[in-house]
Amino acid sequence: MFELTQFALQTGVLASFAASGKTRGFVSKKLGGDVEDSEEKVEYKKINELEAGGYISQGGTLSKLSDSFEERPVQVELLQNIVRAFNENKIAVFEAGTGVGKSYSYLIPSMLWALVNHERVIISTGTINLQQQLCEKDVPAVEKIIGQKIKYVLMKGRQNYICVRRLNDAASILDLFEGESDELKKIAEWAQNSPTGSKSDLPFMPGENVWSKVNSESDACMGKKCPFFNECFVMKVRKEAAAANLIIVNHHLLFADIESRLGGAGYEDAAVLPPYRHIIFDEAHGIENAATSFFSESVNRFKLNKLINQMYRRRKNSESGHLFSLAVLSSNEEKAGEAYEITNKIKLSISNVEIAAKDLLNREYTMRLYEGTARDFGPLLVAIGELARALGSFTGIIREIMDGIDEDDKDAPFYWESKIILRHLEDYVILLKNFSVWNEKPDDVFWIQKKRLPPDLQRDGADAEYVTLTQTPLDISHLMNEGVFEQMSTVVCTSATLKTGRDFSYWMHRTGVSLSEEERVIKGEFPSPFPYNKNMLFVVPKDAPFPDNIQYQQWIEMAIPRLIQAAAGRTLVLFTSYESLKSAHRAAVASLPGFPGRVMKQGEDDNGKLLEAFKKENESVLFATDSFWQGVDIPGESLSQVIIVKLPFTVPNDPVFVARAEAIEKRGGSSFMELSVPEAVIKFRQGIGRLIRRSDDKGVVVVLDRRIYEKKYGWNFIANLNDCKQLYEPLSELTGRINSFIFD
């Protein structure tokens, strides 16, 4: 069985859930032999809203299965609205607060619909934790609730799986892997008996450099021409997915599939995923960022060198690579003689691009190419142009050699791999050329970023810093509308944080929902059933300096230790700046001698290990940044206080954010109110949401930024608070109030 994959025999259809009404649609794919591929219109059986809601109502199946059952009317209401979305082919935007139980609310309708209509439903999430929870806990529980089994599978990106062919190739030349052969041997031994081939099932964590040599990659996949096709872990999981009614993915994998379909694969056949017409987006607040990241194109020296070295490499006096294997079969064999000179030119051009980019960036880490910087980008653009020409010459050589090969010889494995490598190299040529004509592409953002290799990939004497060139869409709403909302029969978007201010307009505009017909979109807010008025205290010190005050950092370094003591540890401190975090952490450690708990900071260990330690050690404290603002679940006494140091406005050096802000200003809008504030509100709400994770949780949210009360825009943040007690007093008075609230 594959990792987190549960397949059970489908035992029929719930006839009682087929209401008298029917809806029309398209059958898109055969599922387990139930229906034939077809584009003809068919009548779908609707799901009865009341009966579906009855499963989780008093007297229903769940109440009989659970000794601690307590009906949640808001959960039932959400479930019935999702049933309506399926029945009426709607796009649904539903905000469901913590504790509503939204997983059951969308899984029950999804599974009933899939079983009754023999259709496939995709569940897309933002985090691995939620994917695992759905597969290991929630779906099996819903199977018991509805009294039926369903075929379901978790699909991960192919890079998470071993490629048997690449592993076999690497194992045959172990002597070339200096210092890595032991790890490769362990992976090879494990793969012989692994049912999954998944990295997460390895009994140890392989180094990234080693894993990249043996994992599955689309660039190197030969498909059915691979000699190990029948043993391929990726193909096995895809085969199981093709027979599944329910597929659980992450946003990134779903957008990989959408891109493939937009690129010509269409919506009736398999692409990255099998075909589907129904999507549930859980953690939907993150889909704009996920789509933006996926639809961006980027290149750096490592990506280029990896592809070039696969085609041609020279060590001492020995030449190797796919190019020579191709040349042996080609009537244009002599073109391979040009490879040495042109690859040297490419590597020199790559070096010149890096030098020019680092000179331009100086001490900055990102910079955007636009009217205001075009003159400064001049030397870099010259270097990029030279690289594009050199790389174009190399792809020309490869293509000439491949064109000279007879059809009978094109089944060779290296021909297939070379074809895919060539496509990627040509894509990079296009990206590099686009930088030269950036001003002709107003719908894209062109920018550069300086990065640093992780420690396990750094080599002695090698430059650990490198530069990435990126082209990002300015607005993904039209792509989302064309690729998702126009194509799907049902799209349900749900999260605890979709509203900014009083409505969903910001999120709907950014994601493309607002481009859909108004009558097709249904919206709803389903508030948390937790007793926030009793269990949560929201406080802001009124004597805090404003964040732009030179004394602000010094003040927070004084305030945070006092707040930690007031809560006896049990505190998550959320920052928007890692430099501020490091300084505040040093000050806190110095200010808390003899403190019984650990004062940890993000970056000193793996995030997962830090989180586990924080959960286990009740008096511990964790200083954290971006990745801990959302998706972190710490129920119970381990977390009694969340400190938000600053309102989480995006730092105005993010090139894509700045470009989007400028676009708003150019059309006469206010980028601050239309972009900065709504984006900060969603992140702020995510941060607050770390505190109360179950009905008996109790604690305090402290915001050290008094702009929330003293600036006009602050109401956008306050308006989205749960109904709880609020205090705006000097810090000296608040510490006692916090201690009393937590421990009385």
Side-chain angles (χ1 to χ4, degrees):
M1 298 294 284
F2 277 76
E3 180 191 27
L4 298 179
T5 306
Q6 299 290 329
F7 277 91
L9 291 174
Q10 201 168 304
T11 57
V13 175
L14 281 179
S16 63
F17 278 86
S20 57
K22 295 182 179 180
T23 186
R24 301 184 71 83
F26 294 92
V27 173
S28 58
K29 185 65 180 177
K30 180 178 177 181
L31 275 181
D34 293 319
V35 295
E36 296 297 325
D37 291 345
S38 172
E39 291 188 17
E40 67 183 61
K41 287 188 175 181
V42 296
E43 290 188 339
Y44 289 131
K45 298 176 181 177
K46 291 186 177 182
I47 305 302
N48 187 295
E49 290 181 25
L50 292 176
E51 292 187 25
Y55 275 126
I56 56 173
S57 300
Q58 188 63 49
T61 313
L62 182 58
S63 68
K64 296 170 184 175
L65 291 172
S66 173
D67 294 334
S68 59
F69 175 81
E70 183 178 328
E71 183 180 310
R72 304 179 197 175
V74 70
Q75 183 185 34
V76 177
E77 185 184 359
L78 174 60
L79 184 153
Q80 291 175 335
N81 274 273
I82 292 174
V83 169
R84 179 189 166 200
F86 274 97
N87 286 343
E88 300 178 13
N89 294 341
K90 297 290 188 182
I91 298 169
V93 179
F94 295 147
E95 180 171 288
T98 307
V100 167
K102 64 180 184 297
S103 296
Y104 282 11
S105 290
Y106 63 68
L107 281 175
I108 290 173
S110 298
M111 291 164 70
L112 292 175
W113 182 271
L115 291 169
V116 168
N117 290 296
H118 306 287
E119 282 213 307
R120 183 178 291 113
V121 180
I122 303 293
I123 311 286
S124 182
T125 78
T127 62
I128 293 174
N129 287 343
L130 181 53
Q131 287 176 289
Q132 292 176 332
Q133 176 188 312
L134 289 170
C135 287
E136 295 174 345
K137 180 182 176 184
D138 293 342
V139 174
V142 171
E143 284 183 321
K144 293 178 181 177
I145 292 169
I146 66 173
Q148 284 211 108
K149 295 289 187 180
I150 192 168
K151 300 173 185 177
Y152 64 99
V153 61
L154 168 65
M155 287 190 73
K156 296 182 289 187
R158 66 185 305 147
Q159 71 278 5
N160 290 284
Y161 299 94
I162 281 287
C163 171
V164 181
R165 182 186 61 77
R166 297 186 77 211
L167 178 62
N168 190 64
D169 290 347
S172 67
I173 50 171
L174 280 175
D175 55 314
L176 298 182
F177 296 94
E178 295 179 15
E180 299 172 342
S181 58
D182 288 345
E183 212 166 81
L184 277 168
K185 286 178 183 176
K186 289 180 182 178
I187 294 173
E189 290 170 3
W190 163 82
Q192 287 180 355
N193 299 309
S194 172
T196 68
S198 172
K199 182 181 180 182
S200 63
D201 279 357
L202 270 167
F204 64 95
M205 182 60 69
E208 193 57 40
N209 203 39
V210 172
W211 184 253
S212 69
K213 292 181 172 73
V214 297
N215 68 335
S216 180
E217 292 187 338
S218 58
D219 293 1
C221 182
M222 297 170 59
K224 291 182 179 180
K225 297 182 179 181
C226 178
F228 299 95
F229 181 77
N230 292 331
E231 301 165 51
C232 178
F233 294 110
V234 172
M235 294 304 152
K236 285 178 181 177
V237 79
R238 286 189 173 182
K239 184 178 179 181
E240 294 193 8
N245 300 91
L246 198 69
I247 300 178
I248 297 163
V249 300
N250 62 24
H251 298 333
H252 189 85
L253 187 61
L254 178 60
F255 288 129
D257 181 79
I258 296 296
E259 182 193 45
S260 179
R261 296 183 187 284
L262 284 171
Y267 285 79
E268 303 306 322
D269 298 311
V272 177
L273 304 175
Y276 52 90
R277 292 290 181 182
H278 309 275
I279 301 174
I280 306 288
F281 281 111
D282 199 348
E283 300 176 311
H285 61 275
I287 63 175
E288 183 197 4
N289 286 339
T292 298
S293 173
F294 188 82
F295 287 110
S296 295
E297 299 287 343
S298 66
V299 65
N300 57 51
R301 75 173 191 252
F302 299 107
K303 289 182 176 182
L304 287 175
N305 283 331
K306 180 179 179 180
L307 295 173
I308 291 165
N309 288 336
Q310 284 179 275
M311 293 305 302
Y312 173 85
R313 56 190 177 274
R314 180 170 181 171
R315 290 181 180 175
K316 296 180 181 179
N317 294 322
S318 173
E319 294 179 312
S320 59
H322 294 319
L323 197 66
F324 292 100
S325 301
L326 294 169
V328 169
L329 301 176
S330 177
S331 59
N332 297 322
E333 180 180 3
E334 75 284 353
K335 299 297 296 183
E338 301 175 27
Y340 176 67
E341 182 179 346
I342 193 63
T343 53
N344 275 348
K345 189 173 182 180
I346 291 171
K347 289 176 181 179
L348 177 61
S349 297
I350 291 172
S351 178
N352 289 339
V353 167
E354 287 246 324
I355 292 169
K358 289 176 181 177
D359 285 346
L360 176 60
L361 286 164
N362 196 6
R363 295 183 179 180
E364 299 294 325
Y365 282 89
T366 62
M367 187 174 293
R368 177 166 63 102
L369 172 58
Y370 72 113
E371 292 89 345
T373 60
R375 183 182 294 272
D376 296 329
F377 264 82
L380 175 58
L381 291 177
V382 170
I384 290 172
E386 290 173 353
L387 175 57
R389 286 188 289 275
L391 197 61
S393 298
F394 187 54
T395 59
I397 290 171
I398 298 170
R399 188 164 290 283
E400 278 193 65
I401 291 173
M402 293 178 74
D403 287 345
I405 296 176
D406 289 339
E407 287 298 320
D408 293 343
D409 293 324
K410 289 183 178 180
D411 284 338
F414 53 81
Y415 181 89
W416 182 261
E417 288 196 43
S418 299
K419 189 176 179 181
I420 298 171
I421 292 169
L422 176 61
R423 178 170 58 84
H424 282 275
L425 287 172
E426 289 177 336
D427 286 344
Y428 288 141
V429 171
I430 293 170
L431 172 59
L432 293 168
K433 287 181 176 179
N434 285 347
F435 263 80
S436 299
V437 293
W438 62 272
N439 54 340
E440 298 175 13
K441 297 183 177 295
D443 294 330
D444 292 288
V445 184
F446 293 87
W447 54 289
I448 62 173
Q449 182 177 24
K450 185 163 55 181
K451 295 183 176 181
R452 191 170 186 83
L453 284 171
D456 65 322
L457 293 182
Q458 293 182 19
R459 297 289 179 266
D460 292 340
D463 188 358
E465 287 191 336
Y466 65 99
V467 176
T468 294
L469 313 178
T470 305
Q471 178 180 352
T472 298
L474 184 65
D475 180 355
I476 58 95
S477 61
H478 290 278
L479 273 172
M480 288 288 291
N481 183 52
E482 180 187 353
V484 179
F485 301 118
E486 284 186 351
Q487 301 293 338
M488 296 297 124
S489 298
T490 312
V491 184
V492 176
C493 305
T494 183
S495 167
T497 55
L498 294 179
K499 284 177 60 183
T500 55
R502 297 188 177 94
D503 58 37
F504 301 101
S505 57
Y506 168 77
W507 182 88
M508 289 174 59
H509 174 72
R510 300 300 311 174
T511 57
V513 177
S514 59
L515 298 174
S516 302
E517 302 90 342
E518 191 173 339
E519 61 273 13
R520 196 183 166 213
V521 180
I522 55 176
K523 297 170 282 187
E525 183 180 359
F526 303 87
S528 170
F530 292 163
Y532 285 92
N533 57 338
K534 294 180 181 179
N535 290 3
M536 183 173 128
L537 177 65
F538 180 84
V539 306
V540 180
K542 69 185 302 181
D543 53 344
F546 283 113
D548 59 358
N549 189 306
I550 196 171
Q551 296 179 335
Y552 181 72
Q553 181 68 26
Q554 182 181 351
W555 187 88
I556 66 166
E557 291 177 4
M558 172 276 299
I560 291 172
R562 294 187 186 185
L563 293 164
I564 289 170
Q565 288 176 317
R570 310 159 189 259
T571 300
L572 175 64
V573 193
L574 295 174
F575 291 79
T576 57
S577 159
Y578 192 65
E579 291 304 314
S580 176
L581 179 154
K582 289 192 294 185
S583 180
H585 179 264
R586 283 194 300 268
V589 171
S591 301
L592 296 167
F595 182 71
R598 278 205 291 165
V599 182
M600 302 176 286
K601 79 173 188 295
Q602 186 175 343
E604 67 185 17
D605 204 343
D606 175 76
N607 283 359
K609 292 179 181 177
L610 287 173
L611 189 59
E612 285 306 308
F614 185 68
K615 288 179 179 179
K616 290 177 181 176
E617 302 170 24
N618 272 0
E619 294 178 321
S620 63
V621 179
L622 178 57
F623 285 57
T625 55
D626 276 356
S627 55
F628 283 86
W629 279 79
Q630 58 185 332
V632 174
D633 192 13
I634 313 169
E637 294 182 356
S638 294
L639 180 57
S640 296
Q641 181 174 237
V642 172
I643 300 174
I644 293 176
V645 176
K646 280 185 186 179
L647 296 179
F649 289 106
T650 299
V651 180
N653 62 3
D654 181 303
V656 179
F657 178 86
V658 173
R660 288 173 173 172
E662 287 179 3
I664 293 171
E665 297 290 338
K666 284 180 181 178
R667 63 167 170 74
S670 165
S671 61
F672 183 69
M673 292 307 298
E674 294 180 39
L675 182 62
S676 297
V677 170
E679 191 174 89
V681 167
I682 288 177
K683 189 171 181 179
F684 174 77
R685 297 183 67 201
Q686 283 287 322
I688 287 177
R690 300 314 97 212
L691 182 66
I692 306 294
R693 306 302 298 173
R694 62 190 189 194
S695 60
D696 59 346
D697 279 350
K698 183 179 182 182
V700 182
V701 172
V702 184
V703 177
L704 301 181
D705 188 341
R706 63 189 176 96
R707 291 178 297 178
I708 197 168
Y709 280 127
E710 299 201 11
K711 298 294 184 181
K712 188 175 180 180
Y713 58 78
W715 75 266
N716 291 274
F717 296 88
I718 298 296
N720 284 284
L721 283 176
N722 295 101
D723 181 22
C724 63
K725 186 175 182 180
Q726 300 178 29
L727 295 177
Y728 187 48
E729 297 175 356
L731 178 68
S732 58
E733 296 180 26
L734 290 177
T735 52
R737 299 280 198 107
I738 289 169
N739 185 270
S740 298
F741 184 82
I742 293 173
F743 297 106
D744 284 357

